[in-house]
Amino acid sequence: DSGVTQTPKHLITATGQRVTLRCSPRSGDLSVYWYQQSLDQGLQFLIQYYNGEERAKGNILERFSAQQFPDLHSELNLSSLELGDSALYFCASSVDQGDTEAFFGQGTRLTVV
Amino acid sequence: GESVGLHLPTLSVQEGDNSIINCAYSNSASDYFIWYKQESGKGPQFIIDIRSNMDKRQGQRVTVLLNKTVKHLSLQIAATQPGDSAVYFCAENTGGFKTIFGAGTRLFVKA
């Protein structure tokens, strides 16, 4: 158990809908990262937050947004969903913003039908 | 641009043998290179990292080698065990704010 909690574990929704994925980082970690993993693909970095502020952006679509709240949990919002958005979405956390060791949650499997 | 790639998509080794997983990178500006392991149904797990000014680092049963001349990174696992079966990702970290992952190598350990 990495200490990072993601909910829900599975999500099935229709095209055009909007969903919110939630992440609770390890106790004491200030950085949160979001990654997308498509079937048999590597992990695509989406976005990073540190202590409530956005720190880095990767290949995140404009339809996607995220935020980190004062209690340090984070949410990833995916809107106008398309079939191609079906993937595993991982959240990771680390103590500081420059850490190479990040702790990953179990992921949320999103299926868009 | 940034890219991290892997030479082989799958690797099959006999239990007890040593495993070597290779990775090529293109961004010479990366500060750290990292190896993660992902078991089926789980999130990636940090194994080891190496700073760009080093060429070798050892951990428990693992050794990472960095060859900056040819932009090559490898992960050596000694005495491979069935529990080592997983997908291994190399990754690079530039400036500390984001880690870019490669496509992954699947390691099969035969009993």
Side-chain angles (χ1 to χ4, degrees), chain B residues 15-74:
Chain B
E15 180 180 358
D17 289 351
N18 296 334
S19 303
I20 300 176
I21 303 171
N22 296 303
C23 175
Y25 66 91
S26 63
N27 188 354
S28 300
S30 294
D31 294 320
Y32 282 91
F33 298 90
I34 312 152
W35 284 99
Y36 275 85
K37 170 187 180 183
Q38 186 176 22
E39 296 175 89
S40 182
K42 296 184 178 180
Q45 181 181 13
F46 174 90
I47 301 173
I48 191 169
D49 63 8
I50 185 168
R51 194 164 182 169
S52 60
N53 62 355
M54 299 171 65
D55 53 21
K56 180 178 180 179
R57 189 171 186 211
Q58 288 185 294
Q60 188 176 10
R61 280 202 307 119
V62 295
T63 301
V64 57
L65 299 178
L66 176 62
N67 186 331
K68 293 180 285 294
T69 303
V70 295
K71 297 182 181 178
H72 183 267
L73 185 70
S74 69

Side-chain angles (χ1 to χ4, degrees), chain A residues 38-112:
Chain A
S38 301
L39 189 64
D40 293 331
Q41 295 297 310
L43 290 113
Q44 299 295 318
F45 171 76
L46 296 178
I47 198 163
Q48 181 206 5
Y49 282 85
Y50 175 75
N51 204 20
E53 294 187 9
E54 182 184 304
R55 276 289 185 256
K57 253 184 175 179
N59 301 322
I60 186 167
L61 300 173
E62 285 190 11
R63 301 183 284 110
F64 296 0
S65 65
Q67 58 185 130
Q68 186 180 27
F69 295 87
D71 68 352
L72 301 176
H73 91 271
S74 179
E75 293 181 354
L76 178 67
N77 300 297
L78 315 176
S79 62
S80 303
L81 285 167
E82 302 174 358
L83 295 177
D85 297 327
S86 296
L88 265 172
Y89 291 85
F90 285 103
C91 168
S93 72
S94 66
V95 175
D96 203 348
Q97 56 187 338
D99 291 341
T100 56
E101 180 175 6
F103 296 83
F104 281 76
Q106 298 263 41
T108 293
R109 181 171 291 283
L110 173 66
T111 302
V112 182

